[in-house]
Amino acid sequence: MTLEDMKRDLRSRWELTALYARALGKWLLLATAAGVSCGLVGTLFHTAVECVTELRGEFPWLLYFLPLAGLLIVGLYKLLGTEGQGTNDIFNEVHTGGGISILLVPAIFLGTVLTHLCGGSAGREGAALQMGGSLGYRVGRLFGFDEQDLRIATTTGMAAFFAALFGTPLAAAVFSIAVVSVDAFYHAAFFPALIGALEAYGVSRLLGVEPTHFAVEVPGPAAGLLVRAGALAGLCGLLSVVFSGTIRLTEHQMAKRIPNPWVRAFAGGCAVIALTWLCGTRDYNGAGMGVIAAAVEDGTVQPAAFLLKILFTAVTLGAGFKGGEVVPSFFVGAAFGCAAGPLLGLPAGFAAALGLVSVFCGATNCPLASIALAIELFGSEGLPYFSLACCVSYVLSGYGGLYSSQTILHSKLKGRYINVHTNDQAVERTAAAQAEAEALK
């Protein structure tokens, strides 16, 4: 090699090093800005939801204002021009671009707080993904990112806000990337998403938000228990289909039969009040974190609690109230696992933990994120059980899910590229036909 060749080679290496350094600096800048902003707003949102939940517990009569809260939410979304926008729009931005309105942040913030204040059955992650995605997108626009990098900025914001709320930064980073396109983990987004999630988590901890964690006693590894855990996970995978399908069907039917959003919200609020009267308990209003903790840590739950939570959540979200489906999926999975686990010879509390991650996995089609979530919520001691449960639930949950804008790139039945949207009924029928054909060979 001549001296001139050595100089060219050195120059090329230096240019490549500078390129990586610029990319590293860009992602660090994005992660810091998104992490701090989402950490601050996420802490404010977490505090607001906790405060109104305590307020509802102190003044149970606030439930009777739920129909009025529904009208306020409809009016708020119309006023801000965000009606019809939600989590699926955030996913579409990551898929194809197109932009996200910053007004979605105050809309979903106030809408979710009103829902929780008056006893609607909903979670928080829908707000987390929407506010985080909107803030991340806005940060990217502020820094002059192109369309491709704006998608990573949106993903980073989703991860940061999720981590600020739940205190699970690894699960937040993996989930925000994996949930948009199943089987396509965009590794370029992992660095900013994880750094942003860690920074948002640090901000929320600094401001006094405790991470979500449950104390669960995990049995020692045993072949028999693994088989039983797999059986429970299979049931939870099927339950996730019921959970997601009920929410979609109720939303569709309510929109079809009550097309006026004002009337639908008011009627939905009245329906939740009536259901609360019939059940004689307020366990199914709000997120239900107390019931989840009782199922996992104490092994106590009402046998039909998972069915009632599905009903309450479907009516609440179908009527147009705001929040999310993930925490209700935690409730449904934990309650079902706690009730069904002992029938399979599993400890009730441990079965509740398995049920929680299994239903979440089946409803979101994110096995790796679900495993990370299990580790951060329950510790790593039960990793073999949680990993098995997530794998089984993922396979048996089919091609349905909570998010219709989610894409599934590969068949769950065969090594085949399909690239379809979740909840595509034609795909469900095709998959069933393929399975039958394979069985007959």
Side-chain angles (χ1 to χ4, degrees):
M1 180 180 293
T2 65
L3 181 60
E4 192 62 30
D5 290 335
M6 292 178 64
K7 289 181 179 180
R8 280 197 298 268
D9 182 65
L10 184 61
R11 189 181 303 113
S12 297
R13 291 178 181 275
W14 170 252
E15 291 174 352
L16 185 61
T17 301
L19 179 65
Y20 280 105
R22 284 197 300 271
L24 182 66
K26 176 177 69 175
W27 296 138
L28 280 174
L29 184 64
L30 166 66
T32 300
V36 172
S37 60
C38 288
L40 292 173
V41 179
T43 299
L44 179 61
F45 177 68
H46 176 275
T47 303
V49 171
E50 290 295 309
C51 286
V52 298
T53 300
E54 291 179 7
L55 195 63
R56 191 183 73 246
E58 186 177 352
F59 303 105
W61 47 263
L62 285 170
L63 173 68
Y64 303 114
F65 286 89
L66 187 60
L68 177 60
L71 297 180
L72 290 174
I73 292 170
V74 173
L76 175 66
Y77 269 70
K78 285 186 176 293
L79 177 66
L80 297 177
T82 54
E83 52 189 324
Q85 296 183 33
T87 305
N88 284 314
D89 296 280
I90 303 296
F91 288 7
N92 287 333
E93 159 58 26
V94 179
H95 280 307
T96 59
I100 303 170
S101 172
I102 191 62
L103 295 178
L104 191 59
V105 175
I108 189 64
F109 188 112
L110 296 174
T112 303
V113 169
L114 283 170
T115 298
H116 282 264
L117 173 65
C118 297
S121 176
R124 299 171 293 174
E125 96 300 329
L129 296 178
Q130 292 174 45
M131 284 192 280
S134 299
L135 290 171
Y137 176 82
R138 194 56 49 180
V139 168
R141 286 288 301 272
L142 182 66
F143 292 157
F145 286 0
D146 60 23
E147 194 62 49
Q148 288 74 26
D149 287 347
L150 280 174
R151 299 173 189 176
I152 295 181
T154 303
T155 300
T156 301
M158 291 164 59
F161 213 106
F162 195 102
L165 282 186
F166 292 97
T168 55
L170 178 59
V174 176
F175 178 70
S176 66
I177 299 171
V179 71
V180 178
S181 291
V182 179
D183 301 325
F185 192 89
Y186 194 32
H187 287 83
F190 187 57
F191 177 80
L194 181 60
I195 299 301
L198 288 169
E199 293 191 2
Y201 170 69
V203 169
S204 65
R205 287 301 308 273
L206 188 65
L207 295 176
V209 176
E210 291 296 322
T212 305
H213 184 79
F214 301 100
V216 59
E217 186 174 345
V218 178
L225 287 177
L226 282 169
V227 172
R228 295 168 192 170
L232 177 63
L235 295 175
C236 289
L238 299 177
L239 179 60
S240 72
V241 177
V242 175
F243 175 66
S244 302
T246 301
I247 290 177
R248 293 198 313 272
L249 179 62
T250 304
E251 183 176 2
H252 173 74
Q253 288 298 320
M254 291 186 74
K256 178 180 178 182
R257 298 180 184 279
I258 314 177
N260 187 305
W262 302 92
V263 177
R264 185 165 64 249
F266 190 88
C270 293
V272 172
I273 294 173
L275 287 171
T276 305
W277 282 348
L278 290 173
C279 292
T281 177
R282 298 175 187 266
D283 286 347
Y284 310 111
N285 303 116
M289 291 298 292
V291 176
I292 297 172
V296 175
E297 298 183 341
D298 301 328
T300 57
V301 74
Q302 293 295 322
F306 70 96
L307 291 174
L308 291 171
K309 188 61 175 179
I310 292 175
L311 177 60
F312 272 76
T313 304
V315 173
T316 298
L317 297 180
F321 291 91
K322 302 303 175 182
E325 305 92 343
V326 164
V327 175
S329 80
F330 289 176
F331 186 119
V332 170
F336 176 77
C338 186
L343 301 178
L344 295 171
L346 292 168
F350 175 60
L354 285 174
L356 185 153
V357 296
S358 297
V359 172
F360 170 76
C361 178
T364 61
N365 294 295
C366 294
L368 294 181
S370 301
I371 294 170
L373 181 71
I375 294 172
E376 291 181 305
L377 289 181
F378 309 118
S380 60
E381 186 179 354
L383 181 57
Y385 293 103
F386 294 128
S387 300
L388 174 65
C390 292
C391 290
V392 172
S393 177
Y394 172 73
V395 172
L396 294 181
S397 63
Y399 297 93
L402 294 175
Y403 312 114
S404 296
S405 290
Q406 181 184 55
T407 57
I408 299 179
L409 299 183
H410 294 91
S411 169
K412 293 187 180 184
L413 304 173
K414 195 175 181 65
R416 180 183 292 113
Y417 181 77
I418 55 174
N419 190 18
V420 297
H421 278 95
T422 306
N423 304 325
D424 187 334
Q425 295 300 315
V427 176
E428 295 275 6
R429 291 192 294 270
T430 301
Q434 290 174 352
E436 184 178 355
E438 292 293 331
L440 292 175
K441 285 183 179 179

